[in-house]
């Protein structure tokens, strides 16, 4: 016998896109279920989409799986299927052990009832017996830390208290397989730490944990494996660190798509009419236009322009902005009198700036350029054509600059 | 070593019903604490923010009795030829009727009103339907207490058959539950069902000689000839008031129909259960 506690085999789940379809198919599916007809759930009908498609994974005893992915990629749907709330439309799920979920804790609390009453009701809905709740009552109350509010109606609670109480009840169900859905995003730092502490103890007691979250730092620490979901499909399953990098890659691409959608073609902030802007962008070492480079490659930004009159001395400003419009690089050609471009006749030119080691983290960046008179300081052209380019790399994306580091801890 | 192995896959039943029934019974028995807690949840919150509180339980039948007394005294409906004072007759009738009508309303909305946690927690949803009937039975007990007070006020000693009352209403409860299983499902998908049932029930009360006597009215007698609800209300009332009834056979047939509807509703609910969370 294998020691898999979860076997998720080729599972698919579809949803209706709108309410009329939900109503129609809801009736149809329920009727089919009742009459015992095969509803052919594996086929997509009009107005439906796959929330999860052909997802397979296995979780072994003692493992903690993190599920990450952009919004709407199907993370919560998988948790709900593991919890038995939703039934798969295709494939099979096998689970060995009592499943307990920290999915939207506090669901089912009645606002008019007191905390004490809600502990019993919620606990029972979650599958505990009255005796079990009696025994754990003190521990639940201690964990929730709601003080005198225990006998006050839940609607008088702050949102933090509400979540604490919900969390406290949910973790006392002594699950063997624990499902966690982003709950650690709530509460203050103290409570978050308390939860993390509790979780790390719980991890030793339970058979396995499935964790859905957006906090990559937590995923990195808590999970022994990750699955990366994208548009309902599993695109990565395995090593946590590699998975996180994969996830950052997808998010980067998604952000790039949305940036491209909103890109205004050209934004002239200033133009004197002495210079005509032609083109700008990124080129590789063979002078081909590119829109993505790897971290290790050198970065070449070019600007094509046409001088409409003779200019004695030109000075170039070239820089790189990140997605949040932070200036990452900002180079000026005549800083420290380094380079002076003199006696420029009328005609077409290309200026290229080469950064051999740009040190930029993987991400989306925008080149910016400006041309000025080196003597008078007049601005001829300030171009900001948003030609977003991407830097790729297999490192965890943090901060702006990638620097090799040496760590040393010593007692002082 | 591992006792709890669950398998989820696309469901379509071809299975043997006889294999499934014991599982359904077990599921229901195992849910008794859940049913109780869900009942408490309803019970404790029902009149929490209300001025009249539990008095509402008695207000509804009292208003109905007054209404029908007025209708009867003005000659619109026939309330003559009753062996006991009208309040006793009326209260018995409306209390039994409320088991059915109140019960059907409560069960119909039971699933959709729990939508907020059905989509988040996996539990036996039938418990919601069953527990929603608890409220109706509490109302019934309260009304029966009022009935005894009325008996005392009139100085009448109830017929000993009064003690049979709890058993006589079982078929009515089963019928309500069976229909409730189906209507609660329908109401999760189509929210009109609740209002529709509300309207139909209001209409039905007038079509059945519950609050009045059938008298010579052939139309009323004809349409209720094959109405099991009517017999399930009339016969117990006859037995309470007179100690006997002339519709025992009809009552037994109606009870059988109730049992069948109950089982059918339960099976339908069981088969649809896995789809509820996505339909609400």
């Amino acid at each position: 016998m294998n020691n898999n506690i979860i076997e998720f085999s080729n599972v698919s789940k579809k949803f209706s896109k709108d309410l009329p379809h939900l109503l129609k198919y809801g009736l149809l599916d329920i009727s089919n279920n009742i009459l015992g007809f095969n509803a052919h759930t594996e086929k997509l009908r009009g107005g439906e989409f796959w929330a999860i498609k052909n997802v397979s994974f296995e979780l072994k005893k003692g493992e903690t799986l993190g599920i990450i992915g952009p919004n709407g990629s199907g993370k919560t749907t998988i948790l709900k299927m593991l919890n038995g709330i939703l039934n798969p439309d295709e494939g099979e799920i096998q689970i060995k052990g009592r499943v307990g979920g920290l999915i939207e804790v506090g669901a089912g609390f009645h606002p008019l009832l007191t905390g004490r009453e809600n502990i019993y009701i919620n606990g029972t809905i979650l599958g505990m017996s009255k005796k079990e709740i009696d025994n754990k009552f003190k521990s639940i109350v201690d964990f929730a830390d709601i003080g005198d509010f225990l006998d006050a109606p839940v609607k008088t609670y702050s949102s933090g208290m509400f979540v604490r109480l919900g969390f406290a009840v949910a973790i006392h169900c002594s699950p063997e397989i624990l499902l966690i859905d982003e709950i650690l995003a709530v509460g203050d730092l103290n409570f978050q730490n308390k939860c993390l502490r509790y979780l790390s103890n719980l991890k030793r007691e339970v058979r396995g944990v499935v964790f859905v979250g957006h906090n990559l730092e937590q995923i990195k620490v808590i999970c022994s494996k990750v699955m990366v979901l994208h548009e309902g499909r599993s695109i990565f399953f395995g090593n946590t660190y590699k998975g996180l990098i994969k996830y950052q890659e997808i998010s980067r691409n998604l952000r790039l798509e949305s940036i491209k959608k909103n890109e205004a073609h050209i934004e002239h902030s200033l133009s004197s009419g002495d210079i005509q802007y032609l083109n700008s962008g990124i080129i590789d070492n063979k002078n081909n236009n590119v829109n993505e480079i790897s971290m290790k490659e050198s970065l070449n930004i070019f600007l094509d322009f046409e001088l409409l009159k003779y200019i004695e001395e030109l000075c170039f400003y070239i820089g790189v902005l990140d997605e949040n419009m932070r200036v990452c690089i900002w180079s000026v050609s005549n800083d420290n009198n380094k380079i002076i471009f003199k006696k420029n006749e009328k005609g077409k030119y290309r200026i290229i700036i080469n950064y051999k080691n740009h040190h930029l983290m993987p991400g989306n960046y925008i080149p910016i350029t400006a041309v000025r008179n080196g003597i008078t300081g007049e601005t001829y052209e300030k171009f900001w054509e948003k030609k977003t380019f991407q830097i790729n790399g297999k490192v965890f994306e943090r901060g702006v600059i990638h620097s090799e580091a040496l760590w040393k801890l010593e007692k002082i | 070593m591992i006792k709890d192995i669950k398998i989820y896959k696309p469901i379509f039943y071809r299975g043997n019903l006889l294999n499934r029934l014991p599982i359904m019974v077990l599921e229901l028995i195992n849910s008794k604490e859940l049913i109780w807690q869900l009942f408490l949840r309803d019970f404790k919150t029902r009149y929490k923010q209300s001025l009249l509180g539990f008095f509402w339980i008695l207000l509804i039948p009292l208003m109905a009795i007054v209404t029908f007394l007025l209708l009867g005294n003005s000659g619109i409906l026939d309330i003559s030829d009753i062996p006991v004072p009208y309040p006793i007759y009326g209260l018995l009738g409306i209390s039994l009727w409320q088991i059915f009508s109140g019960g059907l309303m409560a069960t119909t909305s039971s699933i959709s009103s729990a939508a907020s946690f059905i989509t988040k927690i996996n539990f036996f949803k039938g418990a919601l339907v069953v527990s929603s009937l608890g409220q109706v039975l509490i109302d019934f007990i309260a009304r029966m207490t009022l009935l005894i007070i009325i008996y005392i006020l009139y100085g009448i000693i109830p017929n000993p058959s009064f003690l049979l009352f709890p058993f006589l209403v079982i078929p009515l409860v089963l019928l309500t539950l069976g229909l409730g299983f189906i209507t609660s499902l329908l109401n999760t998908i189509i929210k009109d069902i609740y209002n529709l049932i509300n309207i139909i029930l209001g209409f039905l009360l007038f079509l059945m000689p519950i609050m009045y006597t059938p008298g010579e009215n052939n139309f009323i007698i004809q349409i209720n000839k094959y109405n099991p609800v009517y017999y399930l209300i009339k016969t117990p009332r006859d037995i309470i008031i007179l100690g006997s009834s002339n519709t025992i056979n009809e009552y037994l047939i109606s009870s059988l129909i109730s049992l069948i509807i109950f089982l059918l509703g339960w099976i339908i609910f069981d088969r649809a259960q896995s789809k509820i969370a996505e339909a609400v």
Side-chain angles (χ1 to χ4, degrees):
Chain A
M1 208 179 114
N2 62 29
N3 58 350
N4 287 341
I5 50 165
I6 297 178
E7 280 175 23
F8 214 78
S9 329
N10 283 315
V11 174
S12 303
K13 180 78 207 167
K14 59 188 177 180
F15 289 133
S16 297
K17 280 177 193 158
D18 50 29
L19 284 173
H21 279 111
L22 179 70
L23 198 147
K24 185 177 147 199
Y25 294 138
L27 272 178
L28 207 65
D29 290 347
I30 286 189
S31 313
N32 277 330
N33 256 12
I34 291 165
L35 298 172
F37 295 145
N38 187 346
H40 288 289
T41 48
E42 72 281 0
K43 283 184 198 128
L44 210 58
R45 298 165 288 192
E48 287 185 318
F49 68 97
W50 291 111
I52 287 290
K53 185 68 183 162
N54 284 334
V55 172
S56 299
F57 69 87
E58 283 167 1
L59 194 68
K60 289 191 178 60
K61 201 167 174 244
E63 286 182 328
T64 299
L65 173 69
I67 302 181
I68 45 179
N71 287 331
S73 56
K75 303 181 296 275
T76 304
T77 307
I78 287 189
L79 276 199
K80 284 190 170 175
M81 284 199 282
L82 288 173
N83 207 355
I85 297 169
L86 296 176
N87 217 48
D89 285 321
E90 236 186 324
E92 188 179 303
I93 306 166
Q94 208 181 95
I95 298 167
K96 294 173 194 158
R98 176 149 100 142
V99 176
L102 300 179
I103 304 175
E104 296 194 55
V105 292
F109 276 2
H110 198 295
L112 291 178
L113 293 178
T114 65
R116 185 188 298 276
E117 290 166 327
N118 271 311
I119 289 176
Y120 277 94
I121 293 165
N122 196 235
T124 317
I125 299 175
L126 290 172
M128 282 193 269
S129 67
K130 166 103 174 17
K131 221 174 119 191
E132 237 180 307
I133 304 173
D134 283 337
N135 291 337
K136 291 172 178 170
F137 191 81
K138 202 184 164 300
S139 166
I140 293 174
V141 172
D142 284 348
F143 194 91
D145 193 20
I146 49 170
D148 295 338
F149 278 86
L150 179 61
D151 288 305
V154 162
K155 71 171 184 178
T156 62
Y157 285 24
S158 71
S159 54
M161 286 160 69
F162 186 90
V163 171
R164 286 206 306 270
L165 187 63
F167 193 92
V169 179
I171 54 172
H172 280 83
C173 296
S174 50
E176 293 170 305
I177 297 169
L178 191 64
L179 311 176
I180 306 174
D181 190 6
E182 318 222 32
I183 33 94
L184 296 176
V186 289
D188 58 10
L189 193 66
N190 268 332
F191 183 68
Q192 280 185 20
N193 283 341
K194 193 170 167 181
C195 292
L196 287 173
R197 218 161 33 236
Y198 196 90
L199 273 182
S200 69
N201 288 331
L202 210 59
K203 260 168 68 179
R204 263 173 261 137
E205 288 168 30
V206 298
R207 282 181 211 281
V209 181
V210 178
F211 187 98
V212 162
H214 278 131
N215 188 328
L216 301 186
E217 298 302 327
Q218 277 173 6
I219 300 261
K220 204 186 97 187
V221 177
I222 294 172
C223 302
S224 56
K225 263 184 183 176
V226 300
M227 175 161 71
V228 183
L229 283 181
H230 185 42
E231 291 170 348
R233 281 155 210 269
S234 164
I235 56 165
F236 179 91
F237 183 79
N239 176 284
T240 303
Y241 194 71
K242 282 183 184 158
L244 292 176
I245 291 170
K246 184 78 194 167
Y247 169 65
Q248 286 192 329
E249 204 178 301
I250 304 174
S251 328
R252 198 153 66 224
N253 288 330
L254 282 178
R255 291 198 308 267
L256 183 65
E257 265 170 44
S258 81
I259 292 170
K260 287 250 153 116
K261 239 178 252 167
N262 303 324
E263 241 169 33
H265 191 59
I266 188 161
E267 281 178 30
H268 277 275
S269 330
L270 270 167
S271 174
S272 66
D274 295 337
I275 292 180
Q276 177 64 49
Y277 167 82
L278 295 175
N279 196 9
S280 67
I282 309 298
I283 46 172
D284 63 12
N285 293 332
K286 288 168 195 138
N287 269 341
N288 300 315
N289 282 22
V290 288
N291 46 27
E292 63 175 273
I293 58 166
S294 97
M295 268 178 84
K296 287 168 193 136
E297 281 177 282
S298 64
L299 169 64
N300 306 308
I301 301 172
F302 74 91
L303 166 67
D304 293 348
F305 59 93
E306 185 174 358
L307 280 188
L308 302 174
K309 64 169 198 184
Y310 172 85
I311 292 170
E312 176 63 31
E313 193 176 316
L314 278 178
C315 167
F316 298 96
Y317 289 67
I318 290 181
V320 175
L321 303 181
D322 70 3
E323 285 166 49
N324 305 316
M325 297 301 147
R326 268 184 307 201
V327 178
C328 302
I329 302 177
W330 191 220
S331 308
V332 180
S333 60
N334 66 353
D335 271 356
N336 306 320
N337 293 328
K338 258 193 226 152
I339 297 153
I340 295 158
F341 299 100
K342 282 204 164 173
K343 299 200 174 15
N344 304 290
E345 299 291 341
K346 276 208 280 193
K348 290 181 179 173
Y349 292 87
R350 164 172 283 195
I351 175 92
I352 301 170
I353 189 164
N354 169 274
Y355 299 106
K356 198 155 192 252
N357 299 308
H358 55 76
H359 290 298
L360 289 171
M361 270 289 169
N364 301 309
Y365 296 93
I366 305 155
I368 51 170
T369 50
V371 185
R372 288 197 171 130
N373 189 311
I375 297 167
T376 63
E378 289 167 78
T379 303
Y380 294 122
E381 287 281 358
K382 204 168 170 184
F383 313 110
W384 196 345
E385 194 179 22
K386 288 186 179 167
K387 283 200 170 163
T388 315
F389 67 97
Q390 199 172 63
I391 296 180
N392 291 322
K394 301 257 178 253
V395 295
F396 200 97
E397 205 181 296
R398 281 180 228 264
V400 183
I401 296 297
H402 178 70
S403 295
E404 293 298 326
L406 283 174
W407 299 81
K408 202 167 164 189
L409 176 70
E410 48 189 32
K411 255 195 159 156
I412 49 166
Chain B
M1 184 186 104
I2 301 161
K3 28 186 184 1
D4 212 352
I5 298 183
K6 285 195 202 77
I7 293 174
Y8 301 116
K9 54 184 173 188
I11 291 180
F12 68 101
Y13 285 96
R14 285 276 159 79
N16 192 338
L17 201 59
L18 289 175
N19 293 336
R20 183 63 197 167
L21 270 173
I23 300 171
M24 286 162 59
V25 174
L26 206 66
E27 190 174 40
L28 196 63
I29 293 170
N30 287 339
S31 309
K32 55 182 191 295
E33 277 190 26
L34 178 60
I35 293 170
W36 174 246
Q37 287 292 339
L38 288 171
F39 162 70
L40 283 181
R41 185 179 192 267
D42 283 349
F43 183 73
K44 285 179 178 167
T45 53
R46 191 165 171 210
Y47 297 110
K48 260 256 148 88
Q49 284 181 321
S50 117
L51 208 57
L52 292 177
F54 289 100
F55 186 62
W56 278 110
I57 297 176
L58 301 180
L59 201 62
I60 295 164
L62 287 176
M63 286 305 290
I65 289 166
V66 170
T67 310
F68 279 91
L69 260 177
L70 290 173
L71 289 173
N73 287 338
S74 58
I76 298 169
L77 292 169
D78 190 1
I79 58 166
S80 60
D81 197 22
I82 300 171
V84 286
Y86 182 76
I88 293 179
Y89 180 84
L91 186 58
L92 268 169
I94 194 77
S95 302
L96 284 162
W97 166 252
Q98 279 288 325
I99 291 184
F100 179 71
S101 72
L104 200 54
M105 300 304 294
T107 46
T108 301
S109 62
S110 61
I111 297 285
S112 43
S113 63
S116 64
F117 58 100
I118 278 182
T119 55
K120 285 155 200 163
I121 307 173
N122 185 20
F123 63 100
F124 171 55
K125 282 137 203 106
L128 286 166
V129 182
V130 177
S131 78
S132 66
L133 266 191
Q135 196 56 56
V136 175
L137 296 179
I138 288 288
D139 291 1
F140 184 69
I141 291 167
R143 285 162 191 164
M144 287 307 99
T145 316
L146 178 69
L147 183 71
I148 291 169
I149 293 169
I150 294 175
Y151 264 114
I152 293 168
L153 288 178
Y154 277 105
I156 305 171
I157 299 162
N159 195 297
S161 56
F162 196 89
L163 297 172
L164 284 175
F165 213 2
F167 303 103
L168 294 175
V169 298
I170 288 175
L172 191 60
V173 172
L174 286 182
L175 176 69
T176 311
L177 200 54
L179 290 174
F181 273 132
I182 300 168
T183 54
S184 65
L185 273 181
L186 286 173
N187 196 51
T188 54
I189 310 169
I190 314 165
K191 305 282 183 254
D192 319 12
I193 295 292
Y194 183 81
N195 289 331
L196 193 70
I197 288 175
N198 202 354
I199 292 167
I200 293 173
L201 285 173
F203 195 54
L204 271 181
L205 178 61
F206 279 89
L207 279 184
M208 275 188 253
I210 293 171
M211 298 301 287
Y212 56 93
T213 52
E216 301 297 311
N217 195 332
N218 258 326
F219 170 69
I220 293 290
I221 293 173
Q222 278 305 316
I223 57 167
N224 284 298
K225 204 170 174 182
Y226 300 107
N227 181 356
V229 182
Y230 171 58
Y231 292 117
L232 292 178
I233 292 173
K234 177 196 177 280
T235 314
R237 179 166 62 184
D238 284 352
I239 293 174
I240 300 305
I241 293 175
L242 306 165
S244 68
S245 173
N246 57 353
T247 50
I248 294 284
N249 284 339
E250 288 87 340
Y251 175 77
L252 290 176
I253 294 167
S254 302
S255 301
L256 190 67
I257 294 172
S258 300
L259 185 67
I260 293 168
I261 290 179
F262 167 70
L263 285 174
L264 208 65
W266 194 12
I267 291 164
I268 287 175
F269 190 87
D270 178 61
R271 293 189 162 194
Q273 230 202 118
S274 67
K275 283 277 169 195
I276 290 177
E278 43 194 294
V280 290

